[in-house]
Amino acid sequence: MKRNFKAHWVAPTLREFKRRKVIEEDRSGGPKIFHRSTFLEWNYDAEIFAFSNRLGEKFDDSSLRAALTHKSYIEREKARLSDIGLDSNLHFQDNEALSQKGGEMMSKFINGYLRAVFTQVPEELISAMHDFLTSNSTLETVAKHIGLGDLMLCADFPCKTETYVKSFKAIIAALAESSGEERARIFVQDLVVTQLYGQDVNELWNPVDPVGNLAAILKREGKAEPEFRLIRQAGSNSILAVYYVGVYSDKHFISEGAGESLEIAKEMAAREALKKFFHTEDSMRALPFGRQLKNIQSKIEQLENQPNLPFSEWISEKVMSAVH
Amino acid sequence: MSNSHLFLPSGFIRTPLQNGLGRYIPQLQRITLKFCKSHGGSRGVRDFIESDLMEFAKTNPGTVVYLKPRRHRSPCMVAEYLNGEREYLSCHEFSRDEVYKWLSYMCTRSGIPVMRFRKYQHTDYPTIQGVWNPFTHQAPEINVAEFPHEVLSKPNDQGPTATEQLIEIFKKTQMEDPANKPPN
């Protein structure tokens, strides 16, 4: 007999169970979920110990617990105790201040890394990459995958995005308090900045008028103005037409771009030229992480407060040569 | 004949949260060992707990180990991973070594469900020099060439014909003829 054998007279009962379960779940909006701490096998102290060891970091116990405690939880506990009638003099510290500080530190560390690695890039693209990395969705994914979901003390369940983000930022500040700013910087580089890997940087920011901006840059550098020439074309009478346009400055080839029409191809060529100047082409060097950053940590620290050139003043002589 | 390959989902190899790129984070969040204190089927699990469990917990400090004795139930282990997945494994009548083997198997997995790997590599940057298109390596002269063209109409990998090779050999012998050397 198969393991899941059930006699035929059981079927109507099971069908009715399923029907009622579906109605109940539709009414409440999904199957019932329980927080991990409601299980019998749960030890919060052990979970916190494992959390810090998993990441390979040493946390001060009080800072870590404060970073994981939310204001909503404290208020709920106070209300619960006062309902029962007990004195509510809880010594819980919430993570508001830590989260604020952690957010600022994280922005600083991310900007330092981006400016040290993308040395040729204008400040607008740096801030676009920074906004992508510090967006709520990215930070929520990171926070969930470290295991913060079960550790946070908060009133809302399932936890909201803002709760995750707040906890994560507070963890960074707690780490800086416990082990120093250097460790917190490496932590942010290893967990947050790695989310940039695999993401096409040029999708995050694109200059509005690439042709005009390219002409402006070449003029600032004292080179001849860009000349666009048709290099290749195929199928010009069909839907699948393709035109390759090349950009030349004083008869020197800069870049080429392809498109369905001449205007599109011209714009793509100008974009490729800008990509070449900023060293963000598809063939650019891979982003350094982990051990590869050992030599440039001091450079990263130095550039945290030093923004790159803005796009309107960009000129290749002013930007540093690549660091890594 | 198994049919697991028919229903086993397939995919490309991946890792949660770019694990290993910055630092390696062990993905096993917690492991729960459920066993019976007296039944014979849990003997291996009990022996494992008495002897090897402490060492396991010390070498994996990032994993919480829970022990749950349950009467009259067969033993099992439930592994929970950082991405929320759970793995259940029955340990009924396992030996102590088998429990250790399967526990270390759980340690090395990320929570991504078992699947058939289509390729054993993955890259986010599949091309450095650019994907080939029919215009790659084409001489720019074709843009303004009038066809038939004496160079571009011919195949470009032809090489010298037999007649041309014979002429080359003859020319070489011509040069080596001492009668043709100018008198010193």
Side-chain angles (χ1 to χ4, degrees), chain A residues 60-80:
Chain A
D60 280 342
D61 201 49
S62 51
S63 317
L64 183 54
R65 282 173 196 264
L68 292 167
T69 314
H70 284 259
K71 213 161 56 163
S72 55
Y73 175 81
I74 297 174
E75 281 162 16
R76 189 185 70 175
E77 290 300 300
K78 281 203 173 117
R80 198 166 59 85

Side-chain angles (χ1 to χ4, degrees), chain A residues 258-292:
Chain A
E260 298 96 47
S261 70
L262 281 168
E263 292 76 29
I264 296 174
K266 185 176 171 187
E267 194 186 322
M268 292 308 292
R271 285 205 185 159
E272 285 292 320
L274 289 173
K275 275 198 228 175
K276 218 171 214 164
F277 289 154
F278 304 151
H279 290 231
T280 54
E281 317 113 298
D282 290 342
S283 56
M284 72 178 194
R285 288 195 73 158
L287 299 173
F289 291 111
R291 285 182 306 205
Q292 297 158 329

Side-chain angles (χ1 to χ4, degrees), chain A residues 36 39 41-43 47 50 53-55 57 144-146 150 187 190 194 197-198 231-232 244 283 289, chain B residues 17-18 21-23 25-26 29-30 61-62 64 66 68 80 82 86 124-125 128 133 135 138-139 143:
Chain A
R36 188 64 178 77
F39 286 28
E41 57 269 20
W42 176 257
N43 182 343
E47 294 279 342
N53 275 300
R54 187 182 301 145
L55 298 170
E57 306 283 357
K144 276 185 178 165
H145 279 84
I146 310 180
D150 300 326
F187 181 80
D190 282 348
T194 46
Y197 187 84
I231 306 180
R232 317 277 194 191
Y244 273 75
S283 56
F289 291 111
Chain B
L17 207 70
Q18 317 287 10
L21 191 63
R23 66 180 64 180
I25 299 173
Q29 202 178 9
R30 54 186 83 88
V64 191
Y66 291 107
K68 195 171 181 186
E80 283 162 75
L82 284 173
R86 292 176 140 233
D124 285 301
Y125 305 100
I128 306 262
N133 58 67
F135 293 122
Q138 289 289 42
N143 288 334

Side-chain angles (χ1 to χ4, degrees), chain A residues 21-289:
Chain A
K21 189 176 176 191
V22 163
I23 292 170
E24 187 61 45
E25 283 181 3
D26 282 341
R27 201 182 299 150
S28 61
K32 272 193 210 147
I33 39 167
F34 301 97
H35 198 268
R36 188 64 178 77
S37 55
T38 58
F39 286 28
L40 205 61
E41 57 269 20
W42 176 257
N43 182 343
Y44 193 61
D45 300 328
E47 294 279 342
I48 290 208
F49 176 79
F51 173 75
S52 47
N53 275 300
R54 187 182 301 145
L55 298 170
E57 306 283 357
K58 284 190 181 50
F59 284 92
D60 280 342
D61 201 49
S62 51
S63 317
L64 183 54
R65 282 173 196 264
L68 292 167
T69 314
H70 284 259
K71 213 161 56 163
S72 55
Y73 175 81
I74 297 174
E75 281 162 16
R76 189 185 70 175
E77 290 300 300
K78 281 203 173 117
R80 198 166 59 85
L81 285 175
S82 58
D83 279 345
I84 300 174
L86 289 167
D87 217 352
S88 57
N89 51 350
L90 300 164
H91 325 288
F92 283 126
Q93 199 198 352
D94 68 15
N95 63 3
E96 292 290 325
L98 278 174
S99 150
Q100 184 70 23
K101 195 170 137 213
E104 285 161 10
M105 293 177 93
M106 186 172 64
S107 284
K108 195 174 69 160
F109 296 151
I110 290 174
N111 277 330
Y113 175 94
L114 291 174
R115 285 169 192 151
V117 167
F118 293 98
T119 47
Q120 325 276 73
V121 149
E123 188 60 24
E124 283 88 337
L125 178 50
I126 300 273
S127 44
M129 288 193 273
H130 164 272
D131 292 341
F132 166 74
L133 287 173
T134 52
S135 65
N136 275 357
S137 51
T138 315
L139 291 181
E140 191 196 356
T141 319
V142 177
K144 276 185 178 165
H145 279 84
I146 310 180
L148 281 181
D150 300 326
L151 293 174
M152 293 193 295
L153 298 171
C154 50
D156 48 328
F157 179 73
C159 303
K160 299 196 214 65
T161 314
E162 296 83 41
T163 320
Y164 277 108
V165 173
K166 230 184 204 176
S167 291
F168 186 72
K169 290 179 178 169
I171 294 276
I172 296 173
L175 180 59
E177 267 179 23
S178 320
S179 308
E181 202 171 288
E182 188 64 39
R183 295 281 332 167
R185 182 176 296 115
I186 296 173
F187 181 80
V188 169
Q189 283 164 0
D190 282 348
L191 259 75
V192 184
V193 189
T194 46
Q195 301 308 305
L196 195 58
Y197 187 84
Q199 172 78 22
D200 184 7
V201 138
N202 296 299
E203 279 175 20
L204 298 173
W205 177 79
N206 254 305
V208 176
D209 175 26
V211 176
N213 280 309
L214 174 64
I217 289 174
L218 287 172
K219 187 169 171 197
R220 253 177 268 141
E221 292 179 4
K223 299 207 178 106
E225 64 167 19
E227 206 185 318
F228 293 86
R229 292 289 186 98
L230 183 65
I231 306 180
R232 317 277 194 191
Q233 74 175 35
S236 39
N237 292 335
S238 66
I239 311 171
L240 298 174
V242 61
Y243 298 93
Y244 273 75
V245 166
V247 188
Y248 295 84
S249 163
D250 194 21
K251 297 186 183 170
H252 288 295
F253 177 78
I254 304 178
S255 69
E256 65 172 355
E260 298 96 47
S261 70
L262 281 168
E263 292 76 29
I264 296 174
K266 185 176 171 187
E267 194 186 322
M268 292 308 292
R271 285 205 185 159
E272 285 292 320
L274 289 173
K275 275 198 228 175
K276 218 171 214 164
F277 289 154
F278 304 151
H279 290 231
T280 54
E281 317 113 298
D282 290 342
S283 56
M284 72 178 194
R285 288 195 73 158
L287 299 173
F289 291 111

Side-chain angles (χ1 to χ4, degrees), chain B residues 64-175:
Chain B
V64 191
V65 179
Y66 291 107
L67 296 176
K68 195 171 181 186
R70 302 191 299 170
R71 273 188 318 166
H72 314 311
R73 304 272 199 107
S74 52
C76 67
M77 62 166 91
V78 177
E80 283 162 75
Y81 292 96
L82 284 173
N83 63 354
E85 295 281 338
R86 292 176 140 233
E87 271 287 314
Y88 168 92
L89 181 69
S90 165
C91 304
H92 187 61
E93 310 236 326
F94 275 19
S95 69
R96 175 183 134 192
D97 298 320
E98 274 185 293
V99 176
Y100 181 71
K101 176 183 93 170
W102 285 106
L103 198 55
S104 36
Y105 162 75
M106 294 296 192
C107 269
T108 55
R109 290 195 49 202
S110 71
I112 294 168
V114 170
M115 59 170 155
R116 175 185 66 87
F117 288 138
R118 293 184 203 167
K119 287 195 170 94
Y120 284 101
Q121 321 80 275
H122 167 82
T123 175
D124 285 301
Y125 305 100
T127 176
I128 306 262
Q129 298 179 34
V131 182
W132 182 93
N133 58 67
F135 293 122
T136 317
H137 305 312
Q138 289 289 42
E141 286 83 0
I142 58 172
N143 288 334
V144 291
E146 291 276 330
F147 287 95
H149 194 263
E150 59 175 25
V151 173
L152 295 171
S153 291
K154 296 205 178 102
N156 61 358
D157 57 348
Q158 203 176 31
T161 60
T163 314
E164 284 168 17
Q165 286 182 44
L166 283 172
I167 293 171
E168 281 299 317
I169 293 169
F170 178 68
K171 278 193 186 146
K172 273 198 196 142
T173 57
Q174 287 264 301
M175 288 192 311

